[in-house]
Amino acid sequence: MKLTYTILVFNKTPNVKFLNIPFLILTISIVIGILIGYYSNISLHLILVSLLISILGLTITWYRSKKMFRKGFSFSFLMIIVFILFGVTLVQIHNPKNHTSHYSNLLQSQDFEDHKVGVQFSIQERLKPTSYYHRYKVSILLLRNQVVKGSILLKIPKDSLHHILDIGNRYTTFTNLRSITQPLNPNQFNYANYLNNQYIYHQIIIKTDQLIKNQKTDWSLYNLANQIRKSINLKLSEYTFDAKQRSIINALLLGQRQDISQETFAQYRDSGAIHILAVSGLHVGILLVILNLVLKPLERCGRKGKISKLVFIIFFLWGFAIIAGLSPSVLRAVTMFSFLAIGIQIRSVTSIYNSLFISIFILLCFNPLLLFSVGFQLSYIAVFAIIWIQPIIAYPYRPKTYFSKKLWETFTVTIAAQFGLLPLTLFYFHQFPLLFFVSNLIIIPFLGGILGFGITIITLAYLNILPQSIATLFGNCIDLMNVIVSWVAQQEEFLVTDITFSWRMLLALYLIIISLIILFQHYKNIKVLWVTIALIMMFIVMIFEKHLHTHKQEFIVFHHHTNTALGVLENKRLKLYSRDTISNTTQRFLFGNYLVNNQATLDSSLSLKNVYTYKEQVILVIDSTSIYAIPKIEPTIILLSDSPKIHLDRVIDSLHPRQIIADASNYKSYIDQWEISCEKQNIPFHRTDKKGAFILK
């Protein structure tokens, strides 16, 4: 799928060495160090010591890398430790909270929620909007008239008056800085954690009319790229491209997916062609092939011509990366292909593996938390799977005609990529499109032509010399691609969803895939044993997971606005009790992931009762009827629902509960008052709007 043609071009380079093992081991050591630094608290003194040791070790490695593993076990072990410390140091150095100028160090924690502050910021990046908000990543410049640094999330409610904010524009406002909301129901997507990995810890929610635009604009590569994209879209708007066509063009050629509708995005996802909309190795690889063909005449000018060709290629690749927004996938692809381009031009003794690990090393040095980006992981696993697995799959069959050869190459590359991505796809998305190869076989062979055609369209439109007939033809090509993707996505019987897949199964499945590939490379009896051991491990993991989920029991009070929803999980079945009927869409949002992660199914949906008994706990539901004096009932837990008009202190004195819960069906003012009462009475109080769903095991 990705890198198809570039890999084929590169593999024709003579004298290609397979892999620099020391560099692979040191890259893995840095990854281990980043994991240690991310999941542990390291003191400042240890950071400084680690940095000094890392600098010394890097210096030694620079001079002795070629003979590194010939110096004996002690030296090799020392270098591994040094690079692990270097990974730990990277995490701490890049953590903005360790810098005194970061905005979070100037405010007390309560100020973020309760007190408004004066803030000046510049727009850094436009993010994909939600159903209710436009979202931007912004860089704080001033806070309480003090110069600070740091990135936060800006959310602007959608209305007809809002205009898209330009990258680089400065705004001033007076508002609250709020913590980013954690998921309030179990196993929901943790957007706060996703933003934390991009060093974004707080958000501003404000209307457009509360923003004061400053005259000064911050110029940067992002600003320049945004101006170029705006100019291109302005030119395209003069032609008959509709909104859907322009959104696909922006995704394919300009790396901007913000305007793609949820329906279109879902179709590409369900058809297994979502990678087409994300500018990454596939697009950059095709662009490199096109540049190699276009600039090939320069090679006739001798050594200077080859150098000029290399400079032009790298210049165009990074220019494309800047216009595409410098996203992690684009950075990864362009960094790796820059090394590939150098290797292709100078015919160096290197390999695509080395280029892969060099690009990982460089990107992690600039941003170690890229390691936790799903796109970063998927991109590198896909590339590695293609260059390792595709030749093994393609070897048994040697097509003779050009068309059948290209078709076989595309098919084997797609299969290889899916082999590598299968465990991660199941782990992150819990679904697998069985017809992925159909959409890829139809679209990928022509994607190079579509990209080349698109670049030509944009160039001609920018120069005001694009004929309308050519623009219409390109629009029809986009529509045809959308129709193919939509047809594949509609074959729902071939889309396997709600697949339970834990991190244990992820590791076990990768062990099976790796051992199988090693076996097929060179058959040996010992390798059959490895495959057998990997299969036994997967079997053990599956038995353990089934036992774990079968014996899991929970009583849950879900966070559901304007409604009360309770769940009882037992024997992998969830019984749902709710005051009002819950639609299928809302059910999937509330506890869809919860069911998948627990291998459970929805057993039944029943009306809400007033009293529940779970294990040794008696739960009393006090609703809008305000009835709580029930004979012979001594509740240990009280659930307040639908804003009952009660005097909570009297209820506590009468029933003596051990725990009180207030869900999202109550007025916030009531919940605040109840919380104060519980603090006075020294009774644990759980409010789902702040603490999330209440779970009783």
Side-chain angles (χ1 to χ4, degrees), residues 21 41 43 69 203 231 236 238 243 245 363 419 438 451 465 473 532 581-582 598:
I21 297 298
N41 295 321
S43 67
F69 283 85
Q203 64 181 349
S231 179
L236 293 177
E238 299 175 3
Q245 290 172 344
L363 290 177
F419 260 117
V438 174
L451 292 178
I465 55 173
L473 177 62
T532 305
T581 303
I582 304 177
N598 289 283

Side-chain angles (χ1 to χ4, degrees), residues 407-447:
L407 194 64
W408 179 242
E409 287 171 357
T410 304
F411 178 75
T412 54
V413 166
T414 302
I415 295 297
Q418 291 299 332
F419 260 117
L421 293 176
L422 177 62
L424 277 180
T425 302
L426 297 178
F427 178 69
Y428 284 120
F429 307 114
H430 303 290
Q431 68 176 38
F432 187 74
L434 296 176
L435 291 182
F436 65 88
F437 60 89
V438 174
S439 54
N440 283 284
L441 278 177
I442 297 174
I443 296 174
I444 296 298
F446 304 101
L447 188 60

Side-chain angles (χ1 to χ4, degrees), residues 443-468:
I443 296 174
I444 296 298
F446 304 101
L447 188 60
I450 292 174
L451 292 178
F453 195 5
I455 292 172
T456 304
I457 290 291
I458 287 175
T459 303
L460 294 178
Y462 200 79
L463 298 174
N464 296 317
I465 55 173
L466 174 63
Q468 180 59 58

Side-chain angles (χ1 to χ4, degrees), residues 479-675:
D479 289 338
L480 178 61
M481 184 173 69
N482 289 336
V483 168
I484 294 170
V485 168
S486 176
W487 178 83
V488 175
Q490 288 173 8
Q491 313 309 309
E492 296 182 359
E493 61 272 20
F494 294 100
L495 178 64
V496 184
T497 59
D498 298 337
I499 303 171
T500 302
F501 207 77
S502 67
W503 64 269
R504 302 178 192 89
M505 300 177 75
L506 171 77
L507 297 178
L509 185 53
Y510 266 125
L511 284 176
I512 292 173
I513 293 174
I514 292 170
S515 58
L516 282 173
I517 298 304
I518 293 175
L519 175 64
F520 285 123
Q521 276 185 319
H522 300 288
Y523 179 85
K524 288 184 180 180
N525 291 335
I526 187 64
K527 295 180 180 180
V528 176
L529 178 61
W530 295 351
V531 175
T532 305
I533 292 173
L535 289 171
I536 292 173
M537 289 182 63
M538 173 60 89
F539 184 66
I540 292 173
V541 167
M542 291 176 68
I543 293 175
F544 174 76
E545 297 275 347
K546 184 176 181 180
H547 173 80
L548 192 69
H549 295 304
T550 301
H551 292 82
K552 186 174 182 179
Q553 296 181 357
E554 290 180 344
F555 178 88
I556 308 170
V557 179
F558 291 102
H559 176 78
H560 183 18
H561 289 289
T562 71
N563 193 9
T564 296
L566 312 179
V568 179
L569 178 67
E570 191 174 10
N571 295 324
K572 298 199 298 185
R573 294 182 177 275
L574 180 70
K575 287 186 177 180
L576 180 68
Y577 300 88
S578 63
R579 191 189 69 217
D580 302 324
T581 303
I582 304 177
S583 66
N584 292 333
T585 303
T586 305
Q587 286 183 14
R588 193 164 186 85
F589 172 75
L590 285 179
F591 47 80
N593 287 341
Y594 177 79
L595 292 175
V596 172
N597 280 275
N598 289 283
Q599 297 184 4
T601 56
L602 182 61
D603 181 45
S604 56
S605 296
L606 306 170
S607 298
L608 191 67
K609 300 190 299 183
N610 290 106
V611 181
Y612 295 88
T613 302
Y614 180 76
K615 296 183 179 179
E616 298 180 357
Q617 307 291 333
V618 177
I619 301 102
L620 173 64
V621 180
I622 303 178
D623 56 21
S624 58
T625 62
S626 303
I627 298 173
Y628 63 87
I630 302 176
K632 298 182 181 181
I633 296 296
E634 297 181 359
T636 53
I637 298 175
I638 291 177
L639 171 61
L640 302 172
S641 167
D642 198 21
S643 304
K645 296 179 180 180
I646 58 173
H647 193 291
L648 189 58
D649 291 296
R650 294 176 185 172
V651 174
I652 294 173
D653 292 337
S654 174
L655 300 179
H656 306 290
R658 299 176 190 171
Q659 173 86 52
I660 293 180
I661 308 165
D663 67 8
S665 66
N666 300 285
Y667 296 130
K668 187 178 181 298
S669 59
Y670 283 28
I671 298 176
D672 293 337
Q673 189 60 48
W674 293 334
E675 187 172 24

